[in-house]
Amino acid sequence: MAKLISIRHPRQLGMSMLVAVLMLAATFPAQAAVEHAPPTADHSKFRSLEGPFETASDVTEACVKCHTEAAGQIKATTHWTWLYKHAETGQALGKNQVINSFCGMAITNEPRCTSCHAGYGWNDMRQPPPEADSAVDCLVCHDTTGDYWKFPTLAGDPTYIPREWPKGSGKIVQPPDLPNIAQNVGASGRANCGSCHFYGGGGDGIKHGDLDSSLVTPDRSLDVHMSPEGGNFTCSDCHTTWGHSVSGSRYQVNAKDTLGIDVPGHTDLSRASCESCHGGAPHHKKKLNDHIDKLACQTCHVPAFARGGVPTKMWWDWSTAGKLDAEGKPVTEYDEHGHLSYLSEKGDFRYGENVVPYYAWFNGTVEYTMIDEVLDVENPPLEINRIEGGPDDPDSRIWPFKLMRGKQPFDTERKTLLATHVFGADDSSLWSNYDWPKALQAASDMSGMPFSGNFDFIETRMYWPITHMVPPADQALHCGSCHAGESRLAGIGGIYIPGHSSNPWLDRIGWLVVALTLAGVIIHGLLRVVFRKRKQS
């Protein structure tokens, strides 16, 4: 790939044209699988873990008898509080503070949403999570059997009796063997983290686009770091922990890691950036390294997302939810690829696979449209979150994003977004009565968030940084992906892309040089002919 050059450095334009023909070469050395340290304890030898256990909380009580500080550490993390105070914007963010483009807002939809909380029994998000140490869920992160599963509607608990799931499917979920699971705990693996992070937004791969179940055992071409045939990384190999606090945040992304390789004494206690392992000049060719100042590593090395055979949701129109068939029954429709395209509970969808990212300048800061923020409803689409950065910002680089689009309800009088009560056995939830006014009023009554009673739907956008699904280096983008007329980076301001961008004065100077050169050749030829004839005469 040739160099991208800022228009603020015109002398570099000539050089950029010379390097525009360089092809991207394999830049990372062959990768050996990570060998993880053996455990220091065989939990099958602990009598306290033999059970019997009536609930998963009973297992936690046994865990914290030895791991005396663990519950307190967990309860200090965002995995527990679901709150994040943004240092740059001052916004109080978290699942009970913001609305997203998928299921709206977690609050009023407990215990469905809190089934992914790292604890048990958070049934009312207007209150903080339960305080007892036994409310912490150790097993969701440390189960190695694959048999532990937080039931989707029990506020974080597994089922303790046989239950049907999904509802109406006839499939029965049996209670987990808690003693066997407790005696086989270990370090977190990809499946542990993925049990929640792969299924955000209501299903496999729905939300993020670069996180889905295909990453549990990915092949090397899907993710060279996580594949057992590649680095065999677990999530925590990059998202390192400190007292159970996991590094990396989509609320404040490290968009330009200037610390470089993470070594003792030179660290931010995180390896959740490419540079923390690969350094600031990872390529063998200097011209490729010259791109790093302007391009995030992911921009070239994640050419597409949703590549593992699991589609991701790209469009969700809530305005069409609630339609019933002639018999008053809910409707289910599929597209030509077999993906859900309509549900009465959720409206219309569109999915994507092998999706080319949306690109934008990004300095790592994300600002959200809050629930009480007055919207500019005359100029849709509304941005649910706004990514900050630009070509003149030294902390910014061009990043890839999943751009989620859809339609969501808003209050037409107050001009604010609305929380939606979708889940619950009560007759006011949208998924039980298909009645929008009733569901929105219930959400307001339950959350205390104002609602005038008048609503409509507005088109929205939401940006999700893409950082996973990294293929081997020889499958990264090639020069022509950007340095061509049909450039992936078309429309990005503040950079000159040889082969794609045009500069009128540079074009004029170039054509003038060509014309003068041609004229010189012609004049020289004519003079040689004239002087040859004179010499012969």
Side-chain angles (χ1 to χ4, degrees), residues 59-81:
V59 178
T60 300
E61 289 186 356
C63 296
V64 298
K65 287 179 180 175
C66 293
H67 300 278
T68 57
E69 306 306 307
Q73 291 174 351
I74 286 288
K75 289 191 287 187
T77 70
T78 53
H79 273 104
W80 182 263
T81 64

Side-chain angles (χ1 to χ4, degrees), residues 64-299:
V64 298
K65 287 179 180 175
C66 293
H67 300 278
T68 57
E69 306 306 307
Q73 291 174 351
I74 286 288
K75 289 191 287 187
T77 70
T78 53
H79 273 104
W80 182 263
T81 64
W82 284 9
L83 289 173
Y84 182 87
K85 182 68 173 179
H86 201 295
E88 298 292 329
T89 66
Q91 291 185 317
L93 306 175
K95 293 185 184 299
N96 60 354
Q97 301 290 322
V98 301
I99 286 180
N100 66 43
S101 293
F102 296 89
C103 293
M105 198 168 192
I107 196 165
T108 79
N109 296 303
E110 316 92 337
R112 183 70 172 93
C113 294
T114 54
S115 66
C116 263
H117 182 240
Y120 307 115
W122 197 8
N123 288 297
D124 184 355
M125 291 180 66
R126 292 171 296 182
Q127 304 296 325
E131 294 182 358
D133 286 354
S134 61
V136 171
D137 185 350
C138 303
L139 298 180
V140 69
C141 297
H142 295 291
D143 167 46
T144 65
T145 68
D147 294 332
Y148 182 77
W149 189 56
K150 293 162 80 75
F151 199 81
T153 61
L154 296 179
D157 274 278
T159 182
Y160 302 118
I161 59 173
R163 291 179 191 269
E164 183 187 48
W165 189 263
K167 186 179 179 181
S169 67
K171 299 177 181 177
I172 303 299
V173 179
Q174 298 294 335
D177 184 347
L178 291 174
N180 181 58
I181 293 170
Q183 292 175 63
N184 287 280
V185 294
S188 301
R190 293 186 291 271
N192 297 102
C193 305
S195 65
C196 282
H197 291 284
F198 293 165
Y199 295 90
D204 192 4
I206 294 294
K207 184 183 287 183
H208 294 276
D210 62 342
L211 290 174
D212 60 48
S213 62
S214 66
L215 291 175
V216 174
T217 53
D219 60 36
R220 194 167 178 271
S221 64
L222 177 59
D223 193 299
V224 70
H225 299 119
M226 301 176 77
S227 171
E229 301 163 351
N232 198 25
F233 285 12
T234 65
C235 304
S236 59
D237 286 320
C238 292
H239 295 276
T240 52
T241 60
W242 182 266
H244 280 94
S245 179
V246 180
S247 62
S249 168
R250 66 180 171 84
Y251 290 131
Q252 182 61 67
V253 177
N254 187 0
K256 195 174 189 177
D257 185 353
T258 57
L259 286 177
I261 293 175
D262 185 41
V263 295
H266 180 66
T267 178
D268 59 354
L269 302 177
S270 166
R271 282 193 289 277
S273 74
C274 304
E275 293 89 341
S276 62
C277 286
H278 295 284
H283 305 95
H284 298 307
K285 294 184 178 181
K286 181 179 181 301
K287 294 304 178 186
L288 292 178
N289 288 330
D290 288 343
H291 287 72
I292 293 172
D293 187 47
K294 300 296 181 185
L295 297 182
C297 306
Q298 294 89 335
T299 297

Side-chain angles (χ1 to χ4, degrees), residues 480-514:
S481 301
C482 298
H483 297 278
E486 299 294 327
S487 173
R488 284 192 176 215
L489 302 184
I492 300 288
I495 54 172
Y496 183 85
I497 307 174
H500 171 71
S501 304
S502 63
N503 183 305
W505 281 107
L506 183 64
D507 292 344
R508 290 166 188 159
I509 293 172
W511 281 114
L512 179 60
V513 171
V514 170

